[in-house]
Amino acid sequence: MLARGLVRQAGAARLSLHRRPPLVQRLVSTFSRTSVVVPRSVLAAAAAFTIVGAATKYAWSMPPKKKKALWPQTFSCAECGKEGRLVKRKKTKPPPELVRCFSHGASARHRDYVMKPDKAEEAAEALRRTEDAAAKTKASARQAQATRLAHVAAIVKARPRPTEPALAAANAKLAKEIKEGLQRPNPLTHGDGRVCGCNHAINLEAMRRPPAVLQTFMFLCGATPARTKDIVAMPTSWLRHAAALWAVLHAERPGEVDPYAFVGLNALERQATHPDDGARYGTIAAAYDNDEGGRDLPDELRVSVASFDLSEMLLPYLSAKEGRDALGRIENVTVGHVGYTISRFPVELAGRKTVMSVMHMRRQISLPAIDFHPVRGVWSPRMTDDFNRLASLSVPATIHRLIKTCKVDGEDACAIVHAFKMKYGPVLDAIDALLRSKYQRLRAVLL
């Protein structure tokens, strides 16, 4: 309104150029060069913008005005007489008998009547809060510990742990079965184990190719012929390391660790940050106990060395070496693309004969019972006969003895195996072609 009044009084046509504001001068000069008549509304808006900007700049340049206190800002505590200022300023003067210092703030009627703390009171308050947080943490930890103790006690009561004589008998029985399994003439078709449909198809396709093709595929993807009740070999150092972790975890948490959970390689790190999750009784352990007879197989230690690290894999076709490898037996059905497998090993722990159950990947074991040593680039007669027996059993009437599929049998199971053969056959052909080209180059270099 002020700008409009000024424009009306002076008149846009009668204002000289040097008396106009800078923005107005620029607008007038621009329109004058273009021979355009400047509307009065444009000049009024420019003048208003200039006046408002100047007023704002002047207001910000002025120092802020200090409000005068309506009452003295220093109060005295009604209990101890200590002087200080209030934490919050109220519009009305607080009654002196209601003011309290920070130390006696708990007895104040309202928090606005509490004084600001000094340095000593701030330090005491920080220490109190730290102690309260530590006390709450300890209380919650004690409660969680009691919950874990009760949970494990209920598990052991419902499913008692095996005795030392039972473990010694299981050790002797397992060692005998492993020795007999190594001498089995049919490692691929023995009636105690099954595999998934994809591994069965790979084994059928491997019989038509040199042993090096299956060895290379197993090096990349794991032991495809591994079946339930197969004899496996694993480095003794792995078992010692896993047993040490199991002992340390149970020593640090006596009575708090589920004895039927598989203790992993990172169990100590997990229980340091998540005490309730140091060793979990997962779905694989539950399936092993409930669906595959794990409850009837006594063991003292349950550990897991399963890892996706490629540096922790073995050559599945290597023979077991005494003193370096420990022999065990697969107890669960090796089904699934991930390849989690549970094997039992007869071991000696602190001078006692016992049994250790180990969860591992299919690529972390070797199969000493399978003869991978070729005779002039072809399978040995023993393996050739077993491959022929494997093919003769892959018919609708008997295929259920070899594979475990998704609740299908007979013709449907054979169709699944055929589909996997069409999928993995070209892969094995590519490996065969690659190996033949490499062998030819190596032969040319050597000769």
Side-chain angles (χ1 to χ4, degrees):
M1 297 298 293
L2 179 60
R4 290 185 179 181
L6 292 175
V7 171
R8 290 195 189 98
Q9 293 178 7
R14 295 192 300 270
L15 283 175
S16 61
L17 187 61
H18 67 277
R19 291 183 181 179
R20 295 170 181 170
L23 180 61
V24 179
Q25 294 179 13
R26 288 195 296 270
L27 289 174
V28 173
S29 61
T30 301
F31 283 106
S32 62
R33 288 195 300 267
T34 56
S35 303
V36 178
V37 179
V38 181
R40 290 192 175 186
S41 58
V42 175
L43 294 178
F49 182 80
T50 304
I51 295 173
V52 171
T56 304
K57 183 177 180 181
Y58 174 77
W60 280 102
S61 63
M62 295 295 293
K65 295 182 179 180
K66 295 184 179 180
K67 296 182 179 180
K68 296 182 179 180
L70 301 179
W71 60 82
Q73 298 299 302
T74 303
F75 295 87
S76 299
C77 178
E79 294 190 8
C80 62
K82 184 179 179 179
E83 296 184 352
R85 292 177 175 269
L86 295 180
V87 175
K88 292 187 177 182
R89 288 187 56 179
K90 296 180 65 65
K91 294 183 179 180
T92 58
K93 181 179 180 180
E97 64 274 9
L98 300 181
V99 178
R100 299 291 187 275
C101 64
F102 188 82
S103 301
H104 298 87
S107 61
R109 181 179 298 181
H110 196 274
R111 61 181 181 179
D112 290 344
Y113 300 153
V114 180
M115 299 180 188
K116 296 181 179 180
D118 54 15
K119 293 184 178 180
E121 291 174 339
E122 288 181 354
E125 179 66 14
L127 179 61
R128 184 190 65 80
R129 291 181 178 180
T130 304
E131 292 177 349
D132 290 348
K136 291 181 180 179
T137 302
K138 291 181 180 179
S140 61
R142 288 194 297 268
Q143 184 178 1
Q145 182 183 15
T147 303
R148 290 193 297 270
L149 289 172
H151 177 67
V152 173
I155 292 176
V156 174
K157 183 178 179 180
R159 185 181 172 186
R161 298 293 295 154
T163 60
E164 290 189 10
L167 291 172
N171 180 290
K173 180 181 178 182
L174 182 59
K176 180 181 178 181
E177 292 174 347
I178 290 174
K179 185 177 180 180
E180 295 174 352
L182 289 174
Q183 303 172 358
R184 198 159 36 201
N186 52 347
L188 295 176
T189 58
H190 60 86
D192 295 332
R194 294 181 292 171
V195 296
C196 55
C198 57
N199 286 353
H200 182 67
I202 294 169
N203 297 335
L204 290 176
E205 289 292 316
M207 64 180 293
R208 301 188 294 105
R209 295 169 177 84
V213 177
L214 182 59
Q215 291 176 0
T216 306
F217 188 88
M218 290 169 59
F219 176 77
L220 299 174
C221 303
T224 56
R227 311 169 71 230
T228 312
K229 308 302 181 183
D230 269 354
I231 308 304
V232 299
M234 182 177 292
T236 308
S237 58
W238 291 11
L239 301 184
R240 291 175 180 172
H241 180 71
L245 290 177
W246 182 92
V248 171
L249 182 64
H250 282 75
E252 291 184 354
R253 305 280 182 174
E256 301 180 36
V257 182
D258 188 349
Y260 297 101
F262 286 84
V263 178
L265 298 176
N266 62 341
L268 295 179
E269 290 81 357
R270 291 186 64 87
Q271 70 93 20
T273 55
H274 302 82
D276 295 333
D277 202 18
R280 291 181 293 178
Y281 184 76
T283 56
I284 299 177
Y288 170 66
D289 288 337
N290 301 327
D291 302 334
E292 300 172 1
R295 290 179 177 270
D296 302 329
L297 301 175
D299 51 23
E300 183 178 357
L301 286 74
R302 285 193 171 190
V303 297
S304 174
V305 297
S307 174
F308 289 95
D309 189 358
L310 296 181
S311 63
E312 297 181 357
M313 66 180 182
L314 300 178
L315 298 178
Y317 45 82
L318 292 180
S319 300
K321 184 177 180 181
E322 186 177 358
R324 183 195 64 184
D325 299 323
L327 296 178
R329 190 179 67 176
I330 298 177
E331 300 294 351
N332 70 329
V333 179
T334 57
V335 176
H337 68 283
V338 177
Y340 284 106
T341 308
I342 298 176
S343 302
R344 294 169 71 239
F345 291 82
V347 297
E348 184 175 347
L349 182 63
R352 297 181 292 102
K353 300 289 185 179
T354 184
V355 178
M356 175 188 294
S357 295
V358 182
M359 181 186 299
H360 54 84
M361 313 292 290
R362 279 202 297 263
R363 65 192 312 162
Q364 292 181 298
I365 56 174
S366 59
L367 302 175
I370 298 181
D371 185 10
F372 285 100
H373 303 287
V375 180
R376 294 183 180 180
V378 296
W379 290 99
S380 63
R382 169 174 171 264
M383 293 300 299
T384 302
D385 294 341
D386 204 15
F387 272 124
N388 293 331
R389 192 180 302 110
L390 183 70
S392 63
L393 292 175
S394 300
V395 293
T398 57
I399 195 171
H400 65 278
R401 295 168 49 187
L402 300 176
I403 70 171
K404 180 180 179 180
T405 54
C406 301
K407 300 180 181 180
V408 296
D409 204 353
E411 294 288 346
D412 295 335
C414 291
I416 292 177
V417 173
H418 179 72
F420 280 118
K421 288 175 63 177
M422 299 298 293
K423 178 179 180 181
Y424 287 102
V427 177
L428 297 179
D429 289 336
I431 295 176
D432 189 11
L434 177 63
L435 293 177
R436 291 181 183 276
S437 63
K438 293 294 183 181
Y439 288 156
Q440 291 177 1
R441 293 179 184 178
L442 181 60
R443 185 175 180 181
V445 172
L446 295 178
L447 299 179

